PDB file of all heavy atoms in Angstrom:
ATOM      1  N   TYR Q   1      84.849  95.384 116.460  1.00 87.00           N
ATOM      2  CA  TYR Q   1      84.036  95.709 117.625  1.00 87.00           C
ATOM      3  C   TYR Q   1      83.479  97.134 117.599  1.00 87.00           C
ATOM      4  O   TYR Q   1      82.625  97.484 118.399  1.00 87.00           O
ATOM      5  CB  TYR Q   1      84.817  95.467 118.921  1.00 87.00           C
ATOM      6  CG  TYR Q   1      86.050  96.317 119.101  1.00 87.00           C
ATOM      7  CD1 TYR Q   1      85.961  97.609 119.637  1.00 87.00           C
ATOM      8  CD2 TYR Q   1      87.296  95.852 118.735  1.00 87.00           C
ATOM      9  CE1 TYR Q   1      87.095  98.395 119.789  1.00 87.00           C
ATOM     10  CE2 TYR Q   1      88.430  96.624 118.890  1.00 87.00           C
ATOM     11  CZ  TYR Q   1      88.311  97.903 119.423  1.00 87.00           C
ATOM     12  OH  TYR Q   1      89.443  98.681 119.570  1.00 87.00           O
ATOM     13  N   VAL Q   2      83.932  97.977 116.681  1.00 86.00           N
ATOM     14  CA  VAL Q   2      83.371  99.329 116.551  1.00 86.00           C
ATOM     15  C   VAL Q   2      82.267  99.258 115.500  1.00 86.00           C
ATOM     16  O   VAL Q   2      82.514  98.976 114.328  1.00 86.00           O
ATOM     17  CB  VAL Q   2      84.463 100.341 116.119  1.00 86.00           C
ATOM     18  CG1 VAL Q   2      83.848 101.724 115.916  1.00 86.00           C
ATOM     19  CG2 VAL Q   2      85.581 100.401 117.141  1.00 86.00           C
ATOM     20  N   THR Q   3      81.028  99.521 115.936  1.00 85.00           N
ATOM     21  CA  THR Q   3      79.886  99.377 115.028  1.00 85.00           C
ATOM     22  C   THR Q   3      79.205 100.707 114.709  1.00 85.00           C
ATOM     23  O   THR Q   3      78.396 100.768 113.811  1.00 85.00           O
ATOM     24  CB  THR Q   3      78.838  98.420 115.639  1.00 85.00           C
ATOM     25  OG1 THR Q   3      78.429  98.921 116.916  1.00 85.00           O
ATOM     26  CG2 THR Q   3      79.419  97.024 115.792  1.00 85.00           C
ATOM     27  N   SER Q   4      79.530 101.773 115.435  1.00 88.00           N
ATOM     28  CA  SER Q   4      78.854 103.045 115.214  1.00 88.00           C
ATOM     29  C   SER Q   4      79.442 103.823 114.032  1.00 88.00           C
ATOM     30  O   SER Q   4      78.824 104.766 113.552  1.00 88.00           O
ATOM     31  CB  SER Q   4      78.934 103.906 116.483  1.00 88.00           C
ATOM     32  OG  SER Q   4      80.280 104.147 116.828  1.00 88.00           O
ATOM     33  N   TRP Q   5      80.624 103.427 113.554  1.00 87.00           N
ATOM     34  CA  TRP Q   5      81.239 104.069 112.401  1.00 87.00           C
ATOM     35  C   TRP Q   5      82.288 103.106 111.830  1.00 87.00           C
ATOM     36  O   TRP Q   5      82.638 102.117 112.464  1.00 87.00           O
ATOM     37  CB  TRP Q   5      81.851 105.429 112.757  1.00 87.00           C
ATOM     38  CG  TRP Q   5      82.888 105.394 113.856  1.00 87.00           C
ATOM     39  CD1 TRP Q   5      82.669 105.157 115.182  1.00 87.00           C
ATOM     40  CD2 TRP Q   5      84.285 105.568 113.721  1.00 87.00           C
ATOM     41  NE1 TRP Q   5      83.859 105.181 115.874  1.00 87.00           N
ATOM     42  CE2 TRP Q   5      84.868 105.453 115.000  1.00 87.00           C
ATOM     43  CE3 TRP Q   5      85.125 105.836 112.646  1.00 87.00           C
ATOM     44  CZ2 TRP Q   5      86.236 105.563 115.212  1.00 87.00           C
ATOM     45  CZ3 TRP Q   5      86.469 105.976 112.887  1.00 87.00           C
ATOM     46  CH2 TRP Q   5      87.008 105.841 114.150  1.00 87.00           C
ATOM     47  N   GLU Q   6      82.751 103.382 110.645  1.00 83.00           N
ATOM     48  CA  GLU Q   6      83.751 102.506 110.017  1.00 83.00           C
ATOM     49  C   GLU Q   6      85.143 102.880 110.535  1.00 83.00           C
ATOM     50  O   GLU Q   6      85.695 103.890 110.140  1.00 83.00           O
ATOM     51  CB  GLU Q   6      83.691 102.612 108.496  1.00 83.00           C
ATOM     52  CG  GLU Q   6      82.414 102.044 107.917  1.00 83.00           C
ATOM     53  CD  GLU Q   6      82.421 102.087 106.396  1.00 83.00           C
ATOM     54  OE1 GLU Q   6      83.475 102.287 105.782  1.00 83.00           O
ATOM     55  OE2 GLU Q   6      81.331 101.898 105.833  1.00 83.00           O
ATOM     56  N   ASP Q   7      85.683 102.057 111.397  1.00 85.00           N
ATOM     57  CA  ASP Q   7      86.969 102.304 112.039  1.00 85.00           C
ATOM     58  C   ASP Q   7      88.033 101.390 111.402  1.00 85.00           C
ATOM     59  O   ASP Q   7      88.029 100.207 111.614  1.00 85.00           O
ATOM     60  CB  ASP Q   7      86.852 102.021 113.550  1.00 85.00           C
ATOM     61  CG  ASP Q   7      88.115 102.382 114.307  1.00 85.00           C
ATOM     62  OD1 ASP Q   7      89.087 102.853 113.695  1.00 85.00           O
ATOM     63  OD2 ASP Q   7      88.136 102.165 115.529  1.00 85.00           O
ATOM     64  N   TYR Q   8      88.912 101.993 110.595  1.00 84.00           N
ATOM     65  CA  TYR Q   8      89.985 101.239 109.952  1.00 84.00           C
ATOM     66  C   TYR Q   8      91.300 101.575 110.614  1.00 84.00           C
ATOM     67  O   TYR Q   8      91.578 102.737 110.936  1.00 84.00           O
ATOM     68  CB  TYR Q   8      90.060 101.583 108.458  1.00 84.00           C
ATOM     69  CG  TYR Q   8      88.865 101.066 107.693  1.00 84.00           C
ATOM     70  CD1 TYR Q   8      87.729 101.852 107.530  1.00 84.00           C
ATOM     71  CD2 TYR Q   8      88.869  99.791 107.146  1.00 84.00           C
ATOM     72  CE1 TYR Q   8      86.634 101.385 106.830  1.00 84.00           C
ATOM     73  CE2 TYR Q   8      87.775  99.319 106.448  1.00 84.00           C
ATOM     74  CZ  TYR Q   8      86.653 100.120 106.284  1.00 84.00           C
ATOM     75  OH  TYR Q   8      85.579  99.640 105.602  1.00 84.00           O
ATOM     76  N   ARG Q   9      92.146 100.578 110.796  1.00 81.00           N
ATOM     77  CA  ARG Q   9      93.423 100.779 111.464  1.00 81.00           C
ATOM     78  C   ARG Q   9      94.530  99.952 110.800  1.00 81.00           C
ATOM     79  O   ARG Q   9      94.280  98.973 110.146  1.00 81.00           O
ATOM     80  CB  ARG Q   9      93.338 100.378 112.938  1.00 81.00           C
ATOM     81  CG  ARG Q   9      92.321 101.201 113.695  1.00 81.00           C
ATOM     82  CD  ARG Q   9      92.355 100.918 115.151  1.00 81.00           C
ATOM     83  NE  ARG Q   9      91.270 101.637 115.814  1.00 81.00           N
ATOM     84  CZ  ARG Q   9      90.993 101.521 117.069  1.00 81.00           C
ATOM     85  NH1 ARG Q   9      91.688 100.717 117.836  1.00 81.00           N
ATOM     86  NH2 ARG Q   9      89.992 102.192 117.607  1.00 81.00           N
ATOM     87  N   VAL Q  10      95.747 100.429 111.061  1.00 82.00           N
ATOM     88  CA  VAL Q  10      96.960  99.738 110.642  1.00 82.00           C
ATOM     89  C   VAL Q  10      97.807  99.575 111.899  1.00 82.00           C
ATOM     90  O   VAL Q  10      97.902 100.501 112.702  1.00 82.00           O
ATOM     91  CB  VAL Q  10      97.746 100.553 109.589  1.00 82.00           C
ATOM     92  CG1 VAL Q  10      99.065  99.896 109.253  1.00 82.00           C
ATOM     93  CG2 VAL Q  10      96.909 100.746 108.354  1.00 82.00           C
ATOM     94  N   ASP Q  11      98.398  98.403 112.069  1.00 77.00           N
ATOM     95  CA  ASP Q  11      99.268  98.211 113.226  1.00 77.00           C
ATOM     96  C   ASP Q  11     100.385  99.236 113.244  1.00 77.00           C
ATOM     97  O   ASP Q  11     100.972  99.558 112.207  1.00 77.00           O
ATOM     98  CB  ASP Q  11      99.867  96.811 113.217  1.00 77.00           C
ATOM     99  CG  ASP Q  11      98.857  95.733 113.567  1.00 77.00           C
ATOM    100  OD1 ASP Q  11      97.781  96.091 114.094  1.00 77.00           O
ATOM    101  OD2 ASP Q  11      99.135  94.554 113.303  1.00 77.00           O
ATOM    102  N   ALA Q  12     100.686  99.737 114.430  1.00 77.00           N
ATOM    103  CA  ALA Q  12     101.750 100.722 114.587  1.00 77.00           C
ATOM    104  C   ALA Q  12     103.072  99.990 114.855  1.00 77.00           C
ATOM    105  O   ALA Q  12     103.098  98.994 115.564  1.00 77.00           O
ATOM    106  CB  ALA Q  12     101.432 101.667 115.744  1.00 77.00           C
ATOM    107  N   GLY Q  13     104.126 100.513 114.273  1.00 84.00           N
ATOM    108  CA  GLY Q  13     105.424  99.891 114.443  1.00 84.00           C
ATOM    109  C   GLY Q  13     106.348 100.696 115.331  1.00 84.00           C
ATOM    110  O   GLY Q  13     107.557 100.556 115.263  1.00 84.00           O
ATOM    111  N   GLY Q  14     105.780 101.578 116.148  1.00 89.00           N
ATOM    112  CA  GLY Q  14     106.590 102.418 117.019  1.00 89.00           C
ATOM    113  C   GLY Q  14     106.598 103.857 116.557  1.00 89.00           C
ATOM    114  O   GLY Q  14     105.748 104.278 115.775  1.00 89.00           O
ATOM    115  N   ILE Q  15     107.569 104.626 117.029  1.00 92.00           N
ATOM    116  CA  ILE Q  15     107.704 106.035 116.695  1.00 92.00           C
ATOM    117  C   ILE Q  15     109.015 106.241 115.929  1.00 92.00           C
ATOM    118  O   ILE Q  15     110.090 105.908 116.417  1.00 92.00           O
ATOM    119  CB  ILE Q  15     107.700 106.926 117.957  1.00 92.00           C
ATOM    120  CG1 ILE Q  15     106.435 106.692 118.781  1.00 92.00           C
ATOM    121  CG2 ILE Q  15     107.871 108.393 117.597  1.00 92.00           C
ATOM    122  CD1 ILE Q  15     105.151 107.061 118.095  1.00 92.00           C
ATOM    123  N   ALA Q  16     108.893 106.787 114.713  1.00 95.00           N
ATOM    124  CA  ALA Q  16     110.061 107.073 113.892  1.00 95.00           C
ATOM    125  C   ALA Q  16     110.584 108.466 114.194  1.00 95.00           C
ATOM    126  O   ALA Q  16     109.833 109.344 114.641  1.00 95.00           O
ATOM    127  CB  ALA Q  16     109.699 106.983 112.407  1.00 95.00           C
ATOM    128  N   CYS Q  17     111.860 108.684 113.910  1.00 98.00           N
ATOM    129  CA  CYS Q  17     112.474 109.991 114.045  1.00 98.00           C
ATOM    130  C   CYS Q  17     113.214 110.338 112.756  1.00 98.00           C
ATOM    131  O   CYS Q  17     113.942 109.520 112.211  1.00 98.00           O
ATOM    132  CB  CYS Q  17     113.443 110.013 115.218  1.00 98.00           C
ATOM    133  SG  CYS Q  17     114.247 111.616 115.442  1.00 98.00           S
ATOM    134  N   TYR Q  18     112.986 111.552 112.277  1.00 98.00           N
ATOM    135  CA  TYR Q  18     113.686 112.114 111.124  1.00 98.00           C
ATOM    136  C   TYR Q  18     114.268 113.457 111.542  1.00 98.00           C
ATOM    137  O   TYR Q  18     113.702 114.128 112.413  1.00 98.00           O
ATOM    138  CB  TYR Q  18     112.719 112.324 109.945  1.00 98.00           C
ATOM    139  CG  TYR Q  18     112.141 111.063 109.385  1.00 98.00           C
ATOM    140  CD1 TYR Q  18     111.009 110.479 109.942  1.00 98.00           C
ATOM    141  CD2 TYR Q  18     112.719 110.444 108.289  1.00 98.00           C
ATOM    142  CE1 TYR Q  18     110.477 109.319 109.427  1.00 98.00           C
ATOM    143  CE2 TYR Q  18     112.182 109.277 107.761  1.00 98.00           C
ATOM    144  CZ  TYR Q  18     111.055 108.721 108.336  1.00 98.00           C
ATOM    145  OH  TYR Q  18     110.539 107.570 107.819  1.00 98.00           O
ATOM    146  N   SER Q  19     115.358 113.880 110.911  1.00 98.00           N
ATOM    147  CA  SER Q  19     115.931 115.188 111.214  1.00 98.00           C
ATOM    148  C   SER Q  19     116.130 115.979 109.924  1.00 98.00           C
ATOM    149  O   SER Q  19     116.305 115.412 108.839  1.00 98.00           O
ATOM    150  CB  SER Q  19     117.273 115.012 111.933  1.00 98.00           C
ATOM    151  OG  SER Q  19     118.223 114.421 111.079  1.00 98.00           O
ATOM    152  N   SER Q  20     116.099 117.320 110.069  1.00 97.00           N
ATOM    153  CA  SER Q  20     116.251 118.205 108.922  1.00 97.00           C
ATOM    154  C   SER Q  20     116.754 119.566 109.377  1.00 97.00           C
ATOM    155  O   SER Q  20     116.460 120.002 110.499  1.00 97.00           O
ATOM    156  CB  SER Q  20     114.893 118.383 108.229  1.00 97.00           C
ATOM    157  OG  SER Q  20     114.966 119.349 107.203  1.00 97.00           O
ATOM    158  N   THR Q  21     117.473 120.241 108.522  1.00 97.00           N
ATOM    159  CA  THR Q  21     117.882 121.617 108.810  1.00 97.00           C
ATOM    160  C   THR Q  21     117.073 122.618 108.010  1.00 97.00           C
ATOM    161  O   THR Q  21     117.143 123.815 108.283  1.00 97.00           O
ATOM    162  CB  THR Q  21     119.383 121.819 108.493  1.00 97.00           C
ATOM    163  OG1 THR Q  21     119.616 121.476 107.122  1.00 97.00           O
ATOM    164  CG2 THR Q  21     120.246 120.964 109.404  1.00 97.00           C
ATOM    165  N   ASP Q  22     116.283 122.124 107.024  1.00 95.00           N
ATOM    166  CA  ASP Q  22     115.543 123.050 106.158  1.00 95.00           C
ATOM    167  C   ASP Q  22     114.050 122.746 106.016  1.00 95.00           C
ATOM    168  O   ASP Q  22     113.346 123.436 105.280  1.00 95.00           O
ATOM    169  CB  ASP Q  22     116.195 123.099 104.775  1.00 95.00           C
ATOM    170  CG  ASP Q  22     116.166 121.752 104.056  1.00 95.00           C
ATOM    171  OD1 ASP Q  22     115.527 120.795 104.548  1.00 95.00           O
ATOM    172  OD2 ASP Q  22     116.794 121.669 102.982  1.00 95.00           O
ATOM    173  N   LEU Q  23     113.557 121.713 106.664  1.00 93.00           N
ATOM    174  CA  LEU Q  23     112.150 121.273 106.619  1.00 93.00           C
ATOM    175  C   LEU Q  23     111.722 120.705 105.270  1.00 93.00           C
ATOM    176  O   LEU Q  23     110.569 120.348 105.082  1.00 93.00           O
ATOM    177  CB  LEU Q  23     111.191 122.395 107.036  1.00 93.00           C
ATOM    178  CG  LEU Q  23     111.319 122.901 108.467  1.00 93.00           C
ATOM    179  CD1 LEU Q  23     110.401 124.089 108.702  1.00 93.00           C
ATOM    180  CD2 LEU Q  23     111.005 121.788 109.453  1.00 93.00           C
ATOM    181  N   TYR Q  24     112.630 120.614 104.319  1.00 93.00           N
ATOM    182  CA  TYR Q  24     112.350 120.002 103.023  1.00 93.00           C
ATOM    183  C   TYR Q  24     112.964 118.613 102.916  1.00 93.00           C
ATOM    184  O   TYR Q  24     112.395 117.716 102.346  1.00 93.00           O
ATOM    185  CB  TYR Q  24     112.906 120.848 101.870  1.00 93.00           C
ATOM    186  CG  TYR Q  24     112.203 122.157 101.662  1.00 93.00           C
ATOM    187  CD1 TYR Q  24     112.826 123.352 101.955  1.00 93.00           C
ATOM    188  CD2 TYR Q  24     110.923 122.203 101.122  1.00 93.00           C
ATOM    189  CE1 TYR Q  24     112.184 124.559 101.757  1.00 93.00           C
ATOM    190  CE2 TYR Q  24     110.260 123.411 100.918  1.00 93.00           C
ATOM    191  CZ  TYR Q  24     110.911 124.581 101.227  1.00 93.00           C
ATOM    192  OH  TYR Q  24     110.275 125.780 101.029  1.00 93.00           O
ATOM    193  N   ASN Q  25     114.170 118.475 103.416  1.00 96.00           N
ATOM    194  CA  ASN Q  25     114.955 117.259 103.269  1.00 96.00           C
ATOM    195  C   ASN Q  25     115.108 116.603 104.636  1.00 96.00           C
ATOM    196  O   ASN Q  25     115.589 117.237 105.585  1.00 96.00           O
ATOM    197  CB  ASN Q  25     116.326 117.594 102.676  1.00 96.00           C
ATOM    198  CG  ASN Q  25     116.172 118.243 101.316  1.00 96.00           C
ATOM    199  OD1 ASN Q  25     115.866 117.557 100.351  1.00 96.00           O
ATOM    200  ND2 ASN Q  25     116.340 119.544 101.234  1.00 96.00           N
ATOM    201  N   TRP Q  26     114.710 115.337 104.722  1.00 96.00           N
ATOM    202  CA  TRP Q  26     114.649 114.644 106.005  1.00 96.00           C
ATOM    203  C   TRP Q  26     115.552 113.413 106.007  1.00 96.00           C
ATOM    204  O   TRP Q  26     115.467 112.576 105.120  1.00 96.00           O
ATOM    205  CB  TRP Q  26     113.217 114.260 106.318  1.00 96.00           C
ATOM    206  CG  TRP Q  26     112.376 115.466 106.568  1.00 96.00           C
ATOM    207  CD1 TRP Q  26     111.642 116.160 105.648  1.00 96.00           C
ATOM    208  CD2 TRP Q  26     112.238 116.156 107.793  1.00 96.00           C
ATOM    209  NE1 TRP Q  26     111.040 117.231 106.244  1.00 96.00           N
ATOM    210  CE2 TRP Q  26     111.387 117.262 107.573  1.00 96.00           C
ATOM    211  CE3 TRP Q  26     112.739 115.950 109.074  1.00 96.00           C
ATOM    212  CZ2 TRP Q  26     111.039 118.137 108.580  1.00 96.00           C
ATOM    213  CZ3 TRP Q  26     112.388 116.840 110.082  1.00 96.00           C
ATOM    214  CH2 TRP Q  26     111.541 117.913 109.826  1.00 96.00           C
ATOM    215  N   GLU Q  27     116.374 113.329 107.024  1.00 97.00           N
ATOM    216  CA  GLU Q  27     117.283 112.206 107.224  1.00 97.00           C
ATOM    217  C   GLU Q  27     116.643 111.235 108.218  1.00 97.00           C
ATOM    218  O   GLU Q  27     116.262 111.631 109.321  1.00 97.00           O
ATOM    219  CB  GLU Q  27     118.600 112.718 107.796  1.00 97.00           C
ATOM    220  CG  GLU Q  27     119.639 111.657 108.044  1.00 97.00           C
ATOM    221  CD  GLU Q  27     120.258 111.149 106.759  1.00 97.00           C
ATOM    222  OE1 GLU Q  27     120.266 111.856 105.741  1.00 97.00           O
ATOM    223  OE2 GLU Q  27     120.743 109.990 106.806  1.00 97.00           O
ATOM    224  N   PRO Q  28     116.506 109.948 107.864  1.00 97.00           N
ATOM    225  CA  PRO Q  28     115.930 109.002 108.831  1.00 97.00           C
ATOM    226  C   PRO Q  28     116.918 108.757 109.970  1.00 97.00           C
ATOM    227  O   PRO Q  28     118.083 108.444 109.749  1.00 97.00           O
ATOM    228  CB  PRO Q  28     115.719 107.733 108.000  1.00 97.00           C
ATOM    229  CG  PRO Q  28     116.646 107.842 106.844  1.00 97.00           C
ATOM    230  CD  PRO Q  28     116.848 109.303 106.590  1.00 97.00           C
ATOM    231  N   GLU Q  29     116.432 108.900 111.202  1.00 97.00           N
ATOM    232  CA  GLU Q  29     117.270 108.701 112.383  1.00 97.00           C
ATOM    233  C   GLU Q  29     116.976 107.370 113.068  1.00 97.00           C
ATOM    234  O   GLU Q  29     117.637 107.011 114.029  1.00 97.00           O
ATOM    235  CB  GLU Q  29     117.060 109.847 113.383  1.00 97.00           C
ATOM    236  CG  GLU Q  29     117.453 111.218 112.847  1.00 97.00           C
ATOM    237  CD  GLU Q  29     118.947 111.391 112.651  1.00 97.00           C
ATOM    238  OE1 GLU Q  29     119.736 110.571 113.169  1.00 97.00           O
ATOM    239  OE2 GLU Q  29     119.331 112.344 111.964  1.00 97.00           O
ATOM    240  N   GLY Q  30     115.950 106.661 112.593  1.00 96.00           N
ATOM    241  CA  GLY Q  30     115.625 105.362 113.160  1.00 96.00           C
ATOM    242  C   GLY Q  30     114.360 105.384 114.009  1.00 96.00           C
ATOM    243  O   GLY Q  30     113.595 106.346 114.002  1.00 96.00           O
ATOM    244  N   VAL Q  31     114.172 104.331 114.766  1.00 93.00           N
ATOM    245  CA  VAL Q  31     112.997 104.196 115.641  1.00 93.00           C
ATOM    246  C   VAL Q  31     113.334 104.793 116.990  1.00 93.00           C
ATOM    247  O   VAL Q  31     114.258 104.357 117.673  1.00 93.00           O
ATOM    248  CB  VAL Q  31     112.586 102.718 115.788  1.00 93.00           C
ATOM    249  CG1 VAL Q  31     111.422 102.560 116.740  1.00 93.00           C
ATOM    250  CG2 VAL Q  31     112.235 102.115 114.424  1.00 93.00           C
ATOM    251  N   ALA Q  32     112.580 105.826 117.391  1.00 94.00           N
ATOM    252  CA  ALA Q  32     112.810 106.510 118.670  1.00 94.00           C
ATOM    253  C   ALA Q  32     112.164 105.741 119.817  1.00 94.00           C
ATOM    254  O   ALA Q  32     112.656 105.779 120.946  1.00 94.00           O
ATOM    255  CB  ALA Q  32     112.265 107.922 118.615  1.00 94.00           C
ATOM    256  N   LEU Q  33     111.062 105.054 119.524  1.00 87.00           N
ATOM    257  CA  LEU Q  33     110.336 104.294 120.549  1.00 87.00           C
ATOM    258  C   LEU Q  33     109.700 103.086 119.859  1.00 87.00           C
ATOM    259  O   LEU Q  33     108.863 103.258 118.974  1.00 87.00           O
ATOM    260  CB  LEU Q  33     109.266 105.167 121.200  1.00 87.00           C
ATOM    261  CG  LEU Q  33     108.471 104.574 122.335  1.00 87.00           C
ATOM    262  CD1 LEU Q  33     109.380 104.215 123.512  1.00 87.00           C
ATOM    263  CD2 LEU Q  33     107.392 105.548 122.798  1.00 87.00           C
ATOM    264  N   ALA Q  34     110.136 101.908 120.231  1.00 86.00           N
ATOM    265  CA  ALA Q  34     109.640 100.694 119.588  1.00 86.00           C
ATOM    266  C   ALA Q  34     108.263 100.309 120.113  1.00 86.00           C
ATOM    267  O   ALA Q  34     107.918 100.588 121.263  1.00 86.00           O
ATOM    268  CB  ALA Q  34     110.612  99.546 119.833  1.00 86.00           C
ATOM    269  N   ALA Q  35     107.500  99.664 119.267  1.00 82.00           N
ATOM    270  CA  ALA Q  35     106.175  99.151 119.677  1.00 82.00           C
ATOM    271  C   ALA Q  35     106.357  97.905 120.532  1.00 82.00           C
ATOM    272  O   ALA Q  35     107.326  97.170 120.382  1.00 82.00           O
ATOM    273  CB  ALA Q  35     105.350  98.808 118.446  1.00 82.00           C
ATOM    274  N   GLU Q  36     105.411  97.685 121.404  1.00 80.00           N
ATOM    275  CA  GLU Q  36     105.381  96.474 122.248  1.00 80.00           C
ATOM    276  C   GLU Q  36     104.556  95.442 121.496  1.00 80.00           C
ATOM    277  O   GLU Q  36     103.383  95.677 121.204  1.00 80.00           O
ATOM    278  CB  GLU Q  36     104.754  96.778 123.597  1.00 80.00           C
ATOM    279  CG  GLU Q  36     104.462  95.590 124.457  1.00 80.00           C
ATOM    280  CD  GLU Q  36     105.695  94.734 124.760  1.00 80.00           C
ATOM    281  OE1 GLU Q  36     106.672  95.286 125.292  1.00 80.00           O
ATOM    282  OE2 GLU Q  36     105.654  93.533 124.446  1.00 80.00           O
ATOM    283  N   THR Q  37     105.145  94.312 121.170  1.00 79.00           N
ATOM    284  CA  THR Q  37     104.421  93.319 120.356  1.00 79.00           C
ATOM    285  C   THR Q  37     103.847  92.160 121.165  1.00 79.00           C
ATOM    286  O   THR Q  37     102.967  91.471 120.683  1.00 79.00           O
ATOM    287  CB  THR Q  37     105.357  92.744 119.274  1.00 79.00           C
ATOM    288  OG1 THR Q  37     106.508  92.192 119.910  1.00 79.00           O
ATOM    289  CG2 THR Q  37     105.788  93.832 118.292  1.00 79.00           C
ATOM    290  N   SER Q  38     104.311  91.971 122.402  1.00 81.00           N
ATOM    291  CA  SER Q  38     103.831  90.790 123.145  1.00 81.00           C
ATOM    292  C   SER Q  38     102.834  91.124 124.245  1.00 81.00           C
ATOM    293  O   SER Q  38     101.956  90.319 124.554  1.00 81.00           O
ATOM    294  CB  SER Q  38     105.022  90.023 123.725  1.00 81.00           C
ATOM    295  OG  SER Q  38     105.802  90.864 124.552  1.00 81.00           O
ATOM    296  N   ASP Q  39     102.914  92.285 124.870  1.00 80.00           N
ATOM    297  CA  ASP Q  39     102.028  92.655 125.985  1.00 80.00           C
ATOM    298  C   ASP Q  39     100.859  93.469 125.458  1.00 80.00           C
ATOM    299  O   ASP Q  39     100.970  94.661 125.231  1.00 80.00           O
ATOM    300  CB  ASP Q  39     102.816  93.440 127.036  1.00 80.00           C
ATOM    301  CG  ASP Q  39     101.990  93.827 128.243  1.00 80.00           C
ATOM    302  OD1 ASP Q  39     100.801  93.429 128.322  1.00 80.00           O
ATOM    303  OD2 ASP Q  39     102.498  94.541 129.112  1.00 80.00           O
ATOM    304  N   THR Q  40      99.706  92.823 125.308  1.00 79.00           N
ATOM    305  CA  THR Q  40      98.527  93.518 124.750  1.00 79.00           C
ATOM    306  C   THR Q  40      97.957  94.576 125.677  1.00 79.00           C
ATOM    307  O   THR Q  40      97.191  95.427 125.257  1.00 79.00           O
ATOM    308  CB  THR Q  40      97.419  92.498 124.405  1.00 79.00           C
ATOM    309  OG1 THR Q  40      97.071  91.769 125.582  1.00 79.00           O
ATOM    310  CG2 THR Q  40      97.865  91.551 123.317  1.00 79.00           C
ATOM    311  N   SER Q  41      98.336  94.578 126.971  1.00 81.00           N
ATOM    312  CA  SER Q  41      97.854  95.603 127.898  1.00 81.00           C
ATOM    313  C   SER Q  41      98.727  96.856 127.906  1.00 81.00           C
ATOM    314  O   SER Q  41      98.382  97.861 128.506  1.00 81.00           O
ATOM    315  CB  SER Q  41      97.750  95.041 129.316  1.00 81.00           C
ATOM    316  OG  SER Q  41      99.042  94.725 129.801  1.00 81.00           O
ATOM    317  N   SER Q  42      99.855  96.805 127.220  1.00 76.00           N
ATOM    318  CA  SER Q  42     100.769  97.948 127.175  1.00 76.00           C
ATOM    319  C   SER Q  42     100.213  99.070 126.316  1.00 76.00           C
ATOM    320  O   SER Q  42      99.653  98.802 125.239  1.00 76.00           O
ATOM    321  CB  SER Q  42     102.129  97.497 126.627  1.00 76.00           C
ATOM    322  OG  SER Q  42     102.936  98.636 126.377  1.00 76.00           O
TER     323      SER Q  42
END
């Protein structure tokens, strides 16, 4: 439905969280906020 420019997207799977003490090495902490898959108005 976007015709004025090439709009490419990937479905979002929520918000991930990683933690680090040195900004080089990141530990996955899991999904901080899950995506809504059934309510298209959300």
Side-chain angles (χ1 to χ4, degrees):
Y1 63 84
V2 177
T3 58
S4 60
W5 57 290
E6 291 184 15
D7 185 1
Y8 291 90
R9 299 187 186 175
V10 175
D11 287 344
I15 304 297
C17 179
Y18 295 85
S19 65
S20 174
T21 57
D22 63 6
L23 297 175
Y24 291 110
N25 300 286
W26 293 92
E27 180 74 24
E29 298 291 345
V31 177
L33 183 62
E36 170 58 57
T37 57
S38 57
D39 182 3
T40 58
S41 65
S42 170

